[in-house]
Amino acid sequence: MQKQPVAISRTPFPASEKIYVSGTLHPVKVAMRKITLTDTRIHGRKGDAVPNEPVIVYDTSGPYTDPSVDIDVTRGLPRLRESWITGRGDVEQLPQYTSPYVRQLQQKGDNMPGMSITAQPLRALPGKNVTQLYYAQQGIITPEMEYIAIRENQYAEKYYQENSPLWHQHPGNSMGANIPKLITPEFVRQEIAAGRAIIPANINHPESEPMIIGRNFLVKINANIGNSAVTSSIEEEVEKAVWSCRWGADTIMDLSTGKNIHETREWIIRNAPVPIGTVPIYQALEKVNGKAEDLSWEIFRDTLIEQAEQGVDYFTIHAGVLLRYIPLTAKRTTGIVSRGGSIMAKWCLAHHKENFLYTHFEEICEIMKAYDVSFSLGDGLRPGSIADANDAAQFAELETLGELTKIAWKHHVQVMIEGPGHVPMHLIKENMDKQLEHCHEAPFYTLGPLTTDIAPGYDHITSGIGAAMIGWFGTAMLCYVTPKEHLGLPNKEDVRQGVITYKIAAHAADLAKGHPGAQHRDNALSKARFEFRWEDQFNLSLDPETARSYHDETLPAEGAKIAHFCSMCGPNFCSMKITQEVRDFAAREGLDEAAVLEAGMQDKARSFAEQGGEIYQ
Amino acid sequence: MQKQPVAISRTPFPASEKIYVSGTLHPVKVAMRKITLTDTRIHGRKGDAVPNEPVIVYDTSGPYTDPSVDIDVTRGLPRLRESWITGRGDVEQLPQYTSPYVRQLQQKGDNMPGMSITAQPLRALPGKNVTQLYYAQQGIITPEMEYIAIRENQYAEKYYQENSPLWHQHPGNSMGANIPKLITPEFVRQEIAAGRAIIPANINHPESEPMIIGRNFLVKINANIGNSAVTSSIEEEVEKAVWSCRWGADTIMDLSTGKNIHETREWIIRNAPVPIGTVPIYQALEKVNGKAEDLSWEIFRDTLIEQAEQGVDYFTIHAGVLLRYIPLTAKRTTGIVSRGGSIMAKWCLAHHKENFLYTHFEEICEIMKAYDVSFSLGDGLRPGSIADANDAAQFAELETLGELTKIAWKHHVQVMIEGPGHVPMHLIKENMDKQLEHCHEAPFYTLGPLTTDIAPGYDHITSGIGAAMIGWFGTAMLCYVTPKEHLGLPNKEDVRQGVITYKIAAHAADLAKGHPGAQHRDNALSKARFEFRWEDQFNLSLDPETARSYHDETLPAEGAKIAHFCSMCGPNFCSMKITQEVRDFAAREGLDEAAVLEAGMQDKARSFAEQGGEIYQ
């Protein structure tokens, strides 16, 4: 077994360090990123340096950005949750994979190329339910829940105590969300117990750092990766996962459809600090050589168990594509655009039978609860064009997803609901309203929506608009879209564009909802901008590399980064500089802002003009 | 005088030709772009080719994309509107520029390098008012108004008559806009007369193709260009203007602040097929060597006349930055970020006098009505950070802009109102509501708004979100933001990114408002996508070059462009292909979609499966 030449991105972000905040209920250590800022310096007054508090932000990048952690991708990440999982006393280690398919692969001996470890899978002991939903309903606050409570607060408790003015923010319009000022472990438990949030946390993915998807928490984003029949390699896929997390992906969906699908997934899961989702029907279809009509419940079932034992945290299951809904798509402009949806539609028509994912739904729940795999109930009939938005097919399926949610909850299996696609702005809110109505407040997880069809090459933007809006309205997780959507496979730069666009959408939604503390980073960045602290402005941004390189294209000299002007206006015209002068002038003259305008001002104004009206002399 | 080596973009768009639609009231010929599509081919059935109607779209690119027009940038564009303007009998040609500044420049002899023509300026005859608003209020439908009516319809009347199913669209939520099914010249006149729309159309810019900015018309976008003290050259600026129009800019603001500001503007205006806006205070400041406190009404007045006689179509005038509002900005996170606003604030404080743009407002109106320059009443106190959104300073100024609107209308001068900046999503609508309330439905023209501060390098996206929303709510024109916002000067690719992002926002807004015909292009593109007509998909997109190149990155072979799959899923997994098979199967079997599910279906399903369940055999 030889090592693959994988180049994994591990450079820490500039001026940033990883900090670990300890829990009080459990021995959890929650990773966050601390961005250190420079001092504010008021020019013209020597020695006047006012320090700026560091800014602590939510960090999805995992151990990769902690230089003190030794990572060997052939061995996988440290198994953070392993002792929590085994410590609950409700799981058993299996002697081997249950799936005959995996056993065959293992016998062939060429599986998992390059991996030097193979974990033995865990499964719930007979009669046990190991889902976070089950624990929550028993009143148990798990380490995962405490981890999440600390993580969601982004160390806000520290700032709140200090009552920093940087914490000022607009109250927001929560659109019915119920977000507390500080997230407590008990609040997390309640939200999970109510089904309003999920913690995708397969007991076979202990490497994952706990995170939560729910309307009353920070809006999350998902990035899709995957090889394909046409291009890509396993090594690229692992780096894509790390790369996605680096820029802010909260979960990753592995949508691989090509060869070595099991092995690719193993690499990704063992090295992923975030939950992994899949669409198991893709692999099942692989197993029947791409012929949808040859699919069967047995093949699908085996695939579910295979992936559950490997550690997949959530499954997209297109159980709402019912036989009777298929004709509703025939007059659509773009028919069925979900791959999973079209596979199931083809199967249903070929056999004239009801979707086996629907007829076997309770058996699927039985499997998923033994590993704590969460449902992502797939929207197989989502609209693929503006013309098809909010149509009968789409909403019929949504109602069925609501019914299935109740069944999953009966089994204490966690559920989120997939939505949108292409939807014009004015029809977005109806999607959220109907989802809340029909799906009993289970978290909504939407692709975009794209708000127009006419911009292939820019669909991260067409969809970022819709994503921000639906996030504000209550969607808990936004599935990213890259510039290559509809056109080709995303490369690394496309993935970055997609992830950053969706971080923007999610953050814009958090601001609009009035999520406590959400505005802190905006305030800190804008203060840095106003004070010409260029380095801080770069370092506080979602993509410091790009911000810095754009600045340097015009003004590359190091001196320009402490200059009190920028290239847009040049030295004489900078509005920020002029405003600062106005403000400094008032301060220097011992005036508060009202006094500036009082009668005596006339004289002072004259002297200001006589001095040249400049502060920096 | 030697020719400059200017590389102007003139390549027509692929599969596109310029068409000219004639008016009936006036001899206008309205330029549009016709995109020719390929036939729909149903595979498996020989010879079955169904033609697709061409798609006709709004075209801002001017004569540059018409290969039959000979263009020499040193001579400027054909003077389309000249005979309309002189034909009204209310203007006189001046023997020379009124502005002493321009006369000095001309005496020096080094002005307008490379231009081989210098037009003599026109001005209204004494006692005459030459604004489109004045004409409209007299009941006159000008050629400009008829041009616009035809242009806005995008040849819809043809499609409506044919009742093409491609014209199906969602009704939209107009948010109070009143958009007729077809725009008539009389409707244009009424909207202008009511002040709800403007036609920026300086009598000294006859090269410009008439366009309208108003809530009941297509949402427009503006692109900013400009040289600066730090970089750029005149040649680059002209190509930037052409480039901006090429991708869809409806107007251009020349924000030059460096040397040769008059000459740069001459080049741009003479070669611009769209209206040009400026911020005259920038040049006035130039004339006093950058010292705001040295500005005076006389210098400003001379600059206004200089630019009006040159052909600037609209002026941003920061007349709402009142002395008493300045203290309202002192506690802001980012003070005053508008350059014009901060210049005026500095002047007011230095002199402790009221803003001379406010005190001389009626004189400004007198100048502007003699040339039909429109007001863009500047939002000098717009918020430069999320923290400062919708604050007292911003809304105080907005109320003053409303007062000034009434004064301008008294002089029959056209007015639009500038707005936003940085505003979180939930506070966007309040901006539109207050603008409608205070500014008497004068059109709103907003920068973004940016919906978060934390993504420098991606502010085209942070602001595209806000722009789409405020466009839906009723903003008539969106001022673009490029990826370099806050960081540096945009290059050509940045300009393209900014323009396309804003075309997306404007179009998403048109769709949401239910603008008649807006969905036509989406429908055509989605139909092409569904039918794997790749070339048509590229050609119908906002940026065919980028769409094509992204596709070719993954599947470069020509054959792939007619392949019935794409690189995202590979040949076996394409959902569109599967859906088409499902649909074709039903059609081939002579079934309508309901019949597919009837009892007899079981047999047909079996035969489908026996045949391999594939259509393409």
Side-chain angles (χ1 to χ4, degrees):
Chain A
M1 222 176 282
Q2 68 190 85
K3 280 200 181 184
Q4 308 288 330
V6 181
I8 301 296
S9 298
R10 291 210 52 186
T11 320
F13 284 93
S16 295
E17 63 180 303
K18 192 79 97 175
I19 62 166
Y20 295 90
V21 182
S22 296
T24 53
L25 305 175
H26 296 284
V28 300
K29 289 190 174 301
V30 181
M32 298 183 189
R33 179 175 145 216
K34 179 167 124 180
I35 306 169
T36 302
L37 305 184
T38 63
D39 295 344
T40 294
R41 288 180 186 279
I42 300 167
H43 288 245
R45 288 191 264 171
K46 275 187 190 171
D48 253 351
V50 183
N52 288 290
E53 282 287 318
V55 172
I56 291 164
V57 299
Y58 196 102
D59 187 355
T60 56
S61 64
Y64 295 99
T65 50
D66 184 343
S68 75
V69 179
D70 193 32
I71 298 177
D72 173 355
V73 292
T74 70
R75 301 193 59 83
L77 291 179
R79 299 168 71 84
L80 172 73
R81 293 170 54 234
E82 190 163 57
S83 63
W84 312 349
I85 294 162
T86 54
R88 291 191 268 256
D90 52 8
V91 298
E92 59 181 341
Q93 191 157 44
L94 302 176
Q96 58 179 338
Y97 272 86
T98 307
S99 155
Y101 172 83
V102 180
R103 290 190 207 172
Q104 267 186 346
L105 274 184
Q106 286 174 331
Q107 276 167 4
K108 276 200 253 164
D110 60 1
N111 64 311
M112 292 162 228
M115 286 304 282
S116 61
I117 54 128
T118 308
Q120 294 305 96
L122 301 178
R123 188 173 65 191
L125 286 165
K128 295 288 184 186
N129 187 321
V130 298
T131 72
Q132 296 286 322
L133 175 53
Y134 179 79
Y135 300 139
Q137 289 179 338
Q138 306 306 307
I140 298 165
I141 295 172
T142 61
E144 286 86 347
M145 296 174 199
E146 187 185 23
Y147 190 105
I148 284 163
I150 295 167
R151 192 175 195 185
E152 288 280 320
N153 288 330
Q154 300 175 79
Y155 224 24
E157 58 278 27
K158 181 163 179 288
Y159 294 95
Y160 278 126
Q161 285 161 15
E162 292 175 4
N163 201 27
S164 157
L166 276 175
W167 278 87
H168 158 79
Q169 72 177 46
H170 298 285
N173 175 350
S174 73
M175 293 279 176
N178 167 34
I179 310 165
K181 203 150 173 133
L182 277 177
I183 305 288
T184 61
E186 171 58 16
F187 180 76
V188 173
R189 187 198 64 74
Q190 287 170 13
E191 291 291 298
I192 296 296
R196 273 193 300 272
I198 68 169
I199 301 173
N202 187 323
I203 56 174
N204 289 308
H205 188 200
E207 299 90 349
S208 175
E209 295 174 351
M211 56 79 68
I212 195 163
I213 301 167
R215 185 183 176 207
N216 297 323
F217 300 91
L218 291 163
V219 175
K220 304 303 189 297
I221 70 166
N222 172 70
N224 295 328
I225 59 172
N227 62 356
S228 108
V230 183
T231 61
S232 205
S233 74
I234 295 175
E235 297 81 357
E236 285 170 35
E237 297 311 322
V238 173
E239 166 60 4
K240 259 191 222 164
V242 174
W243 181 253
S244 302
C245 298
R246 177 178 181 80
W247 297 111
D250 293 285
T251 77
I252 289 171
M253 288 196 79
D254 173 16
L255 303 183
S256 298
T257 56
K259 285 180 188 172
N260 302 321
I261 190 169
H262 181 91
E263 294 81 355
T264 304
R265 198 167 47 234
E266 184 71 15
W267 271 71
I268 293 170
I269 293 174
R270 297 285 76 81
N271 289 291
V274 302
I276 299 296
T278 62
V279 188
I281 202 79
Y282 295 174
Q283 190 185 5
L285 190 61
E286 227 25 70
K287 293 177 182 174
V288 295
N289 302 311
K291 298 201 166 182
E293 57 275 25
D294 290 351
L295 282 167
S296 67
W297 160 242
E298 289 68 29
I299 287 165
F300 185 76
R301 182 179 173 280
D302 184 67
T303 307
L304 280 190
I305 294 171
E306 169 193 351
Q307 297 196 10
E309 292 187 355
Q310 209 173 12
V312 174
D313 298 286
Y314 61 90
F315 288 153
T316 293
I317 307 267
H318 296 94
V321 180
L322 301 192
L323 184 58
R324 66 178 182 275
Y325 299 158
I326 298 169
L328 299 175
T329 67
K331 296 238 164 127
R332 278 180 158 187
T333 297
T334 45
I336 300 175
V337 295
S338 148
R339 274 191 272 168
S342 58
I343 292 165
M344 293 318 300
K346 193 169 176 182
W347 187 91
C348 290
L349 285 187
H351 296 274
H352 195 247
K353 280 192 182 156
E354 190 51 278
N355 181 338
F356 62 77
L357 302 174
Y358 182 80
T359 55
H360 290 271
F361 194 73
E362 301 232 20
E363 289 159 86
I364 296 174
C365 293
E366 293 288 349
I367 294 167
M368 289 170 74
K369 72 185 178 192
Y371 307 94
D372 197 8
V373 183
S374 298
F375 273 111
S376 185
L377 289 175
D379 56 337
L381 304 182
R382 72 165 177 268
S385 56
I386 291 293
D388 296 343
N390 292 26
D391 73 353
Q394 187 194 343
F395 287 144
E397 181 186 37
L398 184 63
E399 286 187 38
T400 298
L401 300 186
E403 288 165 32
L404 296 170
T405 299
K406 290 256 174 177
I407 296 171
W409 283 351
K410 194 180 71 183
H411 292 270
H412 311 285
V413 178
Q414 304 186 87
V415 182
M416 62 182 169
I417 309 290
E418 294 186 8
H422 294 234
V423 183
M425 282 192 287
H426 70 294
L427 297 182
I428 292 175
K429 187 149 189 307
E430 185 182 19
N431 279 276
M432 190 71 230
D433 293 345
K434 281 203 194 300
Q435 194 272 348
L436 284 169
E437 178 192 343
H438 296 305
C439 300
H440 325 291
E441 296 195 88
F444 206 20
Y445 167 32
T446 67
L447 179 79
L450 288 74
T451 54
T452 163
D453 303 342
I454 68 169
Y458 299 81
D459 279 331
H460 58 312
I461 299 174
T462 67
S463 69
I465 294 166
M469 292 174 73
I470 207 163
W472 172 24
F473 299 155
T475 290
M477 186 156 78
L478 307 169
C479 182
Y480 91 161
V481 169
T482 78
K484 292 279 169 60
E485 182 78 11
H486 299 119
L487 296 170
L489 292 173
N491 59 27
K492 280 180 78 173
E493 184 51 30
D494 295 321
V495 168
R496 168 150 71 173
Q497 290 288 324
V499 170
I500 298 286
T501 300
Y502 273 69
K503 290 305 274 187
I504 290 168
H507 186 69
D510 289 334
L511 288 175
K513 288 166 79 176
H515 194 101
Q519 201 181 305
H520 177 51
R521 191 173 180 175
D522 298 76
N523 292 348
L525 191 146
S526 287
K527 184 169 186 280
R529 180 175 283 156
F530 190 70
E531 293 170 355
F532 295 96
R533 288 184 279 115
W534 287 100
E535 293 288 343
D536 292 346
Q537 191 185 155
F538 304 149
N539 296 340
L540 284 164
S541 71
L542 287 178
D543 180 355
E545 272 176 28
T546 298
R548 178 185 302 270
S549 73
Y550 282 1
H551 176 267
D552 289 359
E553 269 179 41
T554 317
L555 286 176
E558 271 309 302
K561 292 198 201 66
I562 51 166
H564 273 235
F565 64 93
C566 52
S567 58
M568 289 84 82
C569 313
N572 280 332
F573 291 83
C574 179
S575 60
M576 294 246 187
K577 176 166 165 265
I578 292 175
T579 306
Q580 201 159 333
E581 286 172 13
V582 167
R583 186 186 286 184
D584 290 351
F585 170 68
R588 200 181 43 172
E589 298 289 329
L591 301 169
D592 68 16
E593 62 269 26
V596 174
L597 302 175
E598 292 304 317
M601 182 64 202
Q602 190 74 34
D603 287 341
K604 292 200 165 52
R606 193 171 305 123
S607 79
F608 180 55
E610 280 160 6
Q611 287 163 28
E614 298 290 337
I615 293 303
Y616 314 118
Q617 295 167 357
Chain B
M1 222 176 279
Q2 67 189 86
K3 280 202 182 183
Q4 307 289 330
V6 180
I8 301 295
S9 298
R10 292 210 51 186
T11 320
F13 284 94
S16 295
E17 64 180 304
K18 192 80 95 175
I19 61 166
Y20 294 91
V21 181
S22 296
T24 53
L25 305 175
H26 298 284
V28 300
K29 290 190 174 299
V30 182
M32 299 183 189
R33 179 175 145 215
K34 178 166 126 181
I35 306 169
T36 302
L37 305 184
T38 63
D39 294 345
T40 294
R41 287 180 186 279
I42 299 166
H43 288 244
R45 286 192 266 173
K46 275 186 189 170
D48 253 353
V50 183
N52 287 290
E53 281 287 317
V55 173
I56 291 165
V57 299
Y58 196 101
D59 187 355
T60 56
S61 65
Y64 295 99
T65 50
D66 184 344
S68 74
V69 179
D70 193 31
I71 298 176
D72 172 356
V73 292
T74 70
R75 301 193 58 83
L77 291 179
R79 298 167 71 83
L80 171 72
R81 293 171 53 234
E82 191 162 56
S83 63
W84 312 349
I85 294 162
T86 54
R88 291 191 267 255
D90 51 8
V91 299
E92 59 182 341
Q93 190 156 44
L94 301 176
Q96 58 180 340
Y97 272 86
T98 308
S99 156
Y101 172 82
V102 180
R103 292 189 206 173
Q104 267 186 347
L105 273 184
Q106 286 175 330
Q107 277 167 4
K108 275 199 252 165
D110 60 1
N111 64 312
M112 293 165 227
M115 286 304 280
S116 60
I117 56 128
T118 309
Q120 293 306 95
L122 301 178
R123 188 174 64 191
L125 286 165
K128 295 288 183 186
N129 188 321
V130 297
T131 71
Q132 296 286 323
L133 174 54
Y134 179 78
Y135 299 138
Q137 288 179 341
Q138 305 306 306
I140 298 166
I141 294 173
T142 61
E144 287 86 347
M145 295 173 199
E146 188 185 23
Y147 190 105
I148 285 163
I150 296 167
R151 192 175 195 185
E152 289 280 320
N153 288 331
Q154 299 174 78
Y155 224 23
E157 58 277 27
K158 181 162 179 289
Y159 293 96
Y160 279 127
Q161 284 161 15
E162 293 176 4
N163 199 26
S164 156
L166 276 175
W167 278 88
H168 158 78
Q169 72 177 47
H170 298 285
N173 175 350
S174 73
M175 292 279 177
N178 168 33
I179 310 165
K181 202 150 175 138
L182 276 178
I183 305 288
T184 62
E186 170 58 16
F187 180 76
V188 173
R189 187 198 65 74
Q190 287 170 12
E191 291 291 299
I192 296 296
R196 273 194 299 271
I198 68 169
I199 300 173
N202 188 323
I203 55 174
N204 290 308
H205 188 199
E207 300 89 348
S208 174
E209 295 174 352
M211 55 78 69
I212 195 163
I213 301 167
R215 185 182 175 207
N216 296 323
F217 299 92
L218 291 163
V219 175
K220 305 303 188 298
I221 70 165
N222 172 70
N224 295 329
I225 60 172
N227 63 356
S228 108
V230 182
T231 61
S232 208
S233 74
I234 294 175
E235 296 81 358
E236 285 171 34
E237 298 311 322
V238 174
E239 166 61 4
K240 259 190 223 165
V242 174
W243 182 253
S244 302
C245 299
R246 177 178 179 80
W247 297 111
D250 293 285
T251 77
I252 288 171
M253 289 197 78
D254 173 16
L255 303 183
S256 298
T257 55
K259 284 182 189 172
N260 302 321
I261 188 168
H262 182 91
E263 295 80 356
T264 305
R265 197 167 47 233
E266 184 71 14
W267 271 71
I268 292 170
I269 292 174
R270 296 288 75 83
N271 289 290
V274 302
I276 299 295
T278 62
V279 188
I281 202 79
Y282 295 174
Q283 189 184 6
L285 191 62
E286 230 18 73
K287 292 177 182 174
V288 294
N289 302 310
K291 297 202 166 182
E293 57 275 24
D294 290 351
L295 283 167
S296 67
W297 161 243
E298 289 68 29
I299 288 166
F300 185 76
R301 181 178 174 282
D302 184 69
T303 306
L304 280 190
I305 294 171
E306 168 193 353
Q307 297 196 10
E309 293 188 353
Q310 209 172 11
V312 173
D313 299 284
Y314 62 89
F315 287 153
T316 293
I317 307 268
H318 296 95
V321 179
L322 301 192
L323 184 58
R324 66 178 182 274
Y325 299 158
I326 299 169
L328 298 175
T329 67
K331 296 238 163 127
R332 277 179 158 188
T333 296
T334 46
I336 300 175
V337 295
S338 147
R339 274 192 273 167
S342 59
I343 292 164
M344 293 319 300
K346 193 170 177 182
W347 186 90
C348 290
L349 284 187
H351 296 276
H352 195 248
K353 279 191 181 157
E354 191 50 279
N355 181 338
F356 62 78
L357 302 174
Y358 182 81
T359 55
H360 291 270
F361 194 74
E362 300 233 19
E363 289 159 87
I364 297 174
C365 293
E366 293 288 349
I367 295 166
M368 289 170 73
K369 73 185 177 192
Y371 307 93
D372 197 8
V373 183
S374 299
F375 273 112
S376 183
L377 289 176
D379 56 337
L381 304 182
R382 72 165 178 267
S385 56
I386 290 293
D388 296 343
N390 292 26
D391 72 354
Q394 187 195 342
F395 286 144
E397 181 186 35
L398 184 63
E399 286 187 38
T400 298
L401 300 186
E403 290 165 31
L404 296 170
T405 299
K406 289 257 176 181
I407 296 171
W409 283 351
K410 195 179 69 184
H411 293 269
H412 310 285
V413 178
Q414 304 187 88
V415 182
M416 61 181 169
I417 309 289
E418 295 186 9
H422 294 234
V423 184
M425 282 191 287
H426 69 295
L427 297 182
I428 291 175
K429 188 147 189 308
E430 185 183 17
N431 280 276
M432 190 70 231
D433 293 344
K434 281 202 194 298
Q435 194 272 347
L436 285 169
E437 179 191 343
H438 296 304
C439 299
H440 325 292
E441 296 196 88
F444 206 20
Y445 167 33
T446 68
L447 178 79
L450 288 75
T451 54
T452 163
D453 304 342
I454 67 170
Y458 298 82
D459 279 332
H460 58 312
I461 299 174
T462 68
S463 68
I465 294 166
M469 292 175 71
I470 206 163
W472 172 25
F473 299 155
T475 290
M477 186 157 77
L478 307 169
C479 182
Y480 91 160
V481 169
T482 77
K484 292 280 168 60
E485 182 78 9
H486 298 118
L487 296 170
L489 293 173
N491 59 27
K492 280 180 78 173
E493 183 52 29
D494 295 323
V495 168
R496 168 151 69 173
Q497 290 288 324
V499 170
I500 298 286
T501 300
Y502 273 68
K503 290 305 274 186
I504 290 168
H507 185 69
D510 289 334
L511 289 175
K513 288 166 79 176
H515 193 99
Q519 201 182 305
H520 177 50
R521 191 172 180 176
D522 298 76
N523 293 347
L525 191 145
S526 286
K527 183 169 186 282
R529 179 175 283 156
F530 189 69
E531 293 170 354
F532 294 97
R533 288 184 280 116
W534 287 100
E535 294 288 342
D536 292 346
Q537 192 185 155
F538 304 148
N539 296 341
L540 285 164
S541 72
L542 288 178
D543 180 355
E545 274 177 26
T546 297
R548 179 184 301 270
S549 73
Y550 282 1
H551 176 268
D552 289 358
E553 268 180 42
T554 316
L555 286 176
E558 273 307 303
K561 290 198 201 66
I562 51 166
H564 274 236
F565 64 92
C566 53
S567 59
M568 289 85 81
C569 313
N572 281 331
F573 291 81
C574 178
S575 60
M576 295 245 187
K577 178 166 164 265
I578 292 176
T579 306
Q580 201 159 333
E581 286 172 13
V582 166
R583 187 187 287 184
D584 289 352
F585 170 68
R588 199 180 46 171
E589 299 289 330
L591 300 170
D592 69 14
E593 62 270 23
V596 174
L597 302 174
E598 292 304 317
M601 182 63 202
Q602 189 74 36
D603 286 341
K604 293 201 165 49
R606 193 172 304 123
S607 79
F608 181 55
E610 280 161 5
Q611 288 162 25
E614 298 290 336
I615 294 302
Y616 312 118
Q617 294 166 0

